[in-house]
């Protein structure tokens, strides 16, 4: 298993570039099943999770090709409505094929996703939404068996804001007969970009950017070409790296409108920010001020940046509190950060961080994608050498993170093993 050897290298400076958004591309890849023919997605990074989704689409019968950041998906011949355990257990986002398969083939058999390092993560909202559209669902031998000769529009109320359930329901509703209304829909940029793709394909959807969506089902959808949005979580990870630096860093090719909550928090820590189109320059403060964060559905502070921001607070002047209301147990990184001599105490589901003057390099272990990114950031500011093992987690969602960070002065070496 590969590891990162991270040397203390806090003097980051220059420009760092953001790739296309993994969490926007995954649902859009699944949505390509809805429009028979060849769709093309641009600005697609080379990530393990996207390869896993490509593998799944091939199992279903699509042809997927990838070259130079461009992915083509030909879904003319999809015929096998199944997401097998071996793929779903690798990547929960495989559940995204449920809605498209039901809409296109009238049936789907998707392995029931298990828990993961960030919590139990149920899929009840996905299933309730499919039932509201007339699907019959049975759970048997670890699989979700769903069928519907013809999906029909209906009202869907999401008890909880869910990115995945909103997108899955959208993908089913666009080909359902009649009108669907969704209440308390998620408003993440990844939901909007899926809506943009579906609209381009010929779907009828109103309410984009709000929590109430109205969908009028259409008979068929058509393949399209689309440029993928920048990854706000990769951008946010680099912005936090910049805040930890001793020199200005510019994060290029991002969408500042997707990052409002983080930018506000960075200002509170004392960072100077200059926004120029899709480029954000961070002038890091001499002393990082402590501030509290509470993660919430968009436009609140994203759970996917909680671990990285926690690292910033480890070095702040004062005490801060971090609470994750989206995934309350997402704190596996805390014990690892304490190995680097951070001073964090968990008080039930709230991290109380007592800022320290310095961290000290040690061996740590990555537990999930964003926790791994946080440990790499911590390694940059820790004195001496930090070894981050199990970095396959990071390769799932960051395209060559070490090369990108090294291009602005980080000292990170990948050791194969
Ligand atoms: C998406 O997961 C992202 N994954 C996650 O990013 C992200 O952390 C999460 O949204 C929240 O922003 C992808 O886009 C592939 P949810 P998703 O449904 O859709 C509960 C990363 O690091 N819930 O919005 O699975 C759930 O337990 C990953 O890139 C139910 O109770 O998240 C959570 O508390 C990790 N029942 C809340 O809703 C359900 O049926 C929000 O989860 C579904 C969700």
């Amino acid at each position: 298993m590969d590891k990162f050897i991270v040397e203390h290298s806090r003097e980051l400076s220059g420009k760092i570039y953001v790739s296309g958004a993994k969490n926007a591309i995954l649902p859009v890849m699944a949505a390509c099943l809805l429009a028979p023919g060849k769709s093309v997605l641009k600005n697609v990074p080379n990530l393990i999770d996207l390869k896993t989704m490509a593998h799944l689409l091939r199992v279903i019968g699509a042809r997927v090709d990838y070259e130079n950041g461009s992915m083509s998906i030909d879904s003319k011949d999809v015929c096998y409505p199944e997401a097998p355990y071996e793929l779903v257990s690798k990547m929960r986002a495989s559940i995204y094929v449920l809605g498209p398969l039901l809409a296109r083939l009238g049936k789907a058999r998707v392995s029931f996703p298990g828990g993961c390092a960030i919590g139990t993560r149920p899929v009840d909202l996905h299933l309730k939404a499919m039932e509201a559209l007339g699907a019959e669902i049975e759970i048997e031998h670890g699989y979700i068996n769903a069928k519907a000769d013809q999906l029909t529009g209906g009202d869907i109320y999401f008890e909880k804001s869910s990115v995945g359930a909103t997108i899955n329901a959208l993908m089913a509703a666009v080909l359902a007969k009649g009108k669907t209304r969704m209440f308390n829909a998620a408003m993440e940029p990844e939901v909007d970009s899926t809506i943009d793709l579906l609209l381009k394909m010929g779907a009828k959807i109103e309410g984009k950017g709000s929590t109430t969506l109205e969908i009028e089902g259409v008979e068929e959808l058509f393949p399209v070409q689309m440029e993928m949005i920048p990854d706000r979580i990769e951008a946010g990870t680099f912005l936090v790296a910049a805040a930890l630096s001793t020199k200005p860093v510019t994060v290029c090719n991002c969408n500042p409108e997707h990052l409002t909550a983080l930018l506000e928090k960075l200002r509170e820590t004392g960072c100077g920010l200059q926004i120029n189109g899709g480029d954000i320059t961070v002038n890091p403060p001499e002393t990082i001020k402590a501030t509290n964060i509470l993660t919430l559905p968009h436009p609140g502070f994203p759970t996917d940046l909680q671990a990285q921001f926690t690292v910033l607070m480890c070095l702040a002047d004062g005490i801060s509190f971090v609470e994750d209301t989206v995934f309350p147990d997402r704190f596996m990184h805390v014990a690892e950060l304490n190995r680097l001599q951070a001073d964090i105490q968990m008080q039930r589901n709230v991290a109380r961080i007592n800022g320290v003057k310095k961290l000290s390099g040690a061996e740590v272990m990555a537990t999930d994608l964003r926790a791994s990114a946080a440990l790499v950031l911590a390694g940059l500011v820790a004195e001496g050498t930090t070894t981050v093992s199990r970095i396959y987690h990071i390769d799932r969602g960051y395209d060559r993170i070490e090369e990108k960070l090294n291009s602005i002065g980080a000292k990170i070496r990948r050791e194969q093993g």
Side-chain angles (χ1 to χ4, degrees):
M1 272 187 271
D2 290 6
K3 356 169 135 155
F4 280 148
I5 315 295
V6 187
E7 301 294 342
H8 175 86
S9 39
R10 210 170 164 176
E11 289 195 356
L12 307 179
S13 68
K15 292 183 173 181
I16 186 161
Y17 293 83
V18 175
S19 300
K22 166 184 86 84
N23 288 350
I25 299 167
L26 286 168
V28 156
M29 287 174 73
C32 288
L33 295 174
L34 292 164
K38 184 168 157 182
S39 289
V40 178
L41 311 177
K42 303 273 185 189
N43 192 26
V44 176
N46 188 10
L47 300 176
I48 291 185
D49 272 9
L50 301 183
K51 287 184 188 157
T52 306
M53 184 59 99
H55 185 167
L56 174 56
L57 297 187
R58 289 188 190 110
V59 167
I60 289 168
R63 191 191 155 115
V64 186
D65 293 302
Y66 178 73
E67 208 179 346
N68 293 334
S70 171
M71 180 180 280
S72 69
I73 301 172
D74 190 339
S75 63
K76 186 165 53 76
D77 296 324
V78 306
C79 55
Y80 185 69
E82 177 156 334
Y85 174 72
E86 65 184 277
L87 293 176
V88 181
S89 59
K90 269 195 201 161
M91 187 187 68
R92 294 177 50 86
S94 309
I95 189 86
Y96 275 139
V97 298
L98 178 64
L101 285 177
L102 264 176
R104 173 97 187 261
L105 300 177
K107 55 186 172 180
R109 186 166 184 266
V110 177
S111 173
F112 202 92
C116 71
I118 66 176
T120 49
R121 301 186 73 189
V123 289
D124 55 319
L125 301 174
H126 297 245
L127 304 186
K128 277 189 197 158
M130 297 304 144
E131 282 174 337
L133 300 177
E136 281 173 39
I137 310 264
E138 266 181 22
I139 315 284
E140 205 179 33
H141 305 305
Y143 274 80
I144 302 160
N145 292 318
K147 64 173 186 203
D149 290 338
Q150 164 72 67
L151 290 170
T152 46
D155 280 357
I156 303 172
Y157 170 72
F158 294 105
E159 286 165 46
K160 207 171 179 183
S161 179
S162 162
V163 179
T166 301
I167 292 179
N168 230 339
L170 268 167
M171 294 189 291
V174 285
L175 287 178
K177 205 171 170 58
K179 184 186 275 191
T180 298
R181 295 186 305 168
M182 291 184 200
F183 305 96
N184 196 27
M187 297 194 293
E188 270 67 4
E190 295 75 23
V191 175
D192 286 356
S193 87
T194 310
I195 293 178
D196 286 338
L197 176 99
L198 295 169
L199 289 171
K200 262 190 154 196
M201 286 178 161
K204 292 190 180 155
I205 305 168
E206 283 182 12
K208 187 183 128 187
S210 77
T211 55
T212 305
L213 300 171
E214 274 196 25
I215 301 108
E216 189 65 50
V218 295
E219 295 272 313
E220 56 180 337
L221 295 172
F222 303 93
V224 293
Q225 182 163 321
M226 187 162 135
E227 176 86 14
M228 300 316 303
I229 58 170
D231 194 317
R232 65 192 169 104
I233 306 303
E234 188 195 29
T237 304
F238 295 156
L239 288 166
V240 174
L244 286 163
S245 169
T246 51
K247 292 183 172 169
V249 170
T250 303
V251 180
C252 303
N253 295 354
C254 53
N255 184 339
E257 283 180 19
H258 294 169
L259 290 157
T260 318
L262 173 68
L263 296 180
E264 190 47 41
K265 282 293 160 186
L266 288 176
R267 282 192 192 97
E268 284 178 25
T269 66
C271 288
L273 299 177
Q274 281 163 306
I275 299 177
N276 186 3
D279 297 348
I280 305 174
T281 301
V282 181
N283 287 292
E286 259 177 42
T287 305
I288 301 164
K289 288 188 206 143
T291 180
N292 303 328
I293 62 164
L294 185 67
T295 75
L296 288 166
H298 193 77
F301 192 96
T303 172
D304 290 346
L305 288 173
Q306 182 258 107
Q308 301 88 318
F309 202 87
T310 296
V311 175
L312 184 63
M313 289 303 92
C314 285
L315 291 169
D317 182 23
I319 291 171
S320 52
F321 293 89
V322 172
E323 182 173 357
D324 197 321
T325 72
V326 180
F327 293 114
D329 297 323
R330 194 178 197 174
F331 285 102
M332 302 280 276
H333 45 283
V334 163
E336 301 302 301
L337 290 174
N338 282 344
R339 280 184 57 72
L340 301 177
Q341 284 174 3
D343 181 359
I344 313 175
Q345 281 169 18
M346 290 307 299
Q347 297 177 339
R348 292 212 201 92
N349 287 95
V350 180
R352 179 187 187 275
I353 306 163
N354 188 12
V356 292
K357 292 262 177 291
K358 57 177 188 172
L359 297 178
S360 147
E363 287 180 33
V364 287
M365 199 177 280
T367 48
D368 79 77
L369 173 54
R370 308 305 171 186
S372 329
L375 293 176
V376 170
L377 299 186
L380 295 177
V381 290
E383 297 208 327
T385 305
T386 299
T387 305
V388 185
S389 56
R390 300 205 178 169
I391 54 160
Y392 55 85
H393 290 291
I394 218 167
D395 293 330
R396 292 182 57 179
Y398 290 86
D399 190 8
R400 299 167 294 115
I401 192 170
E402 76 279 29
E403 284 179 34
K404 287 191 183 188
L405 287 169
N406 287 348
S407 76
I408 56 167
K411 291 184 191 145
I412 308 170
R413 186 162 48 81
R414 182 182 289 259
E415 204 167 81
Q416 282 166 346

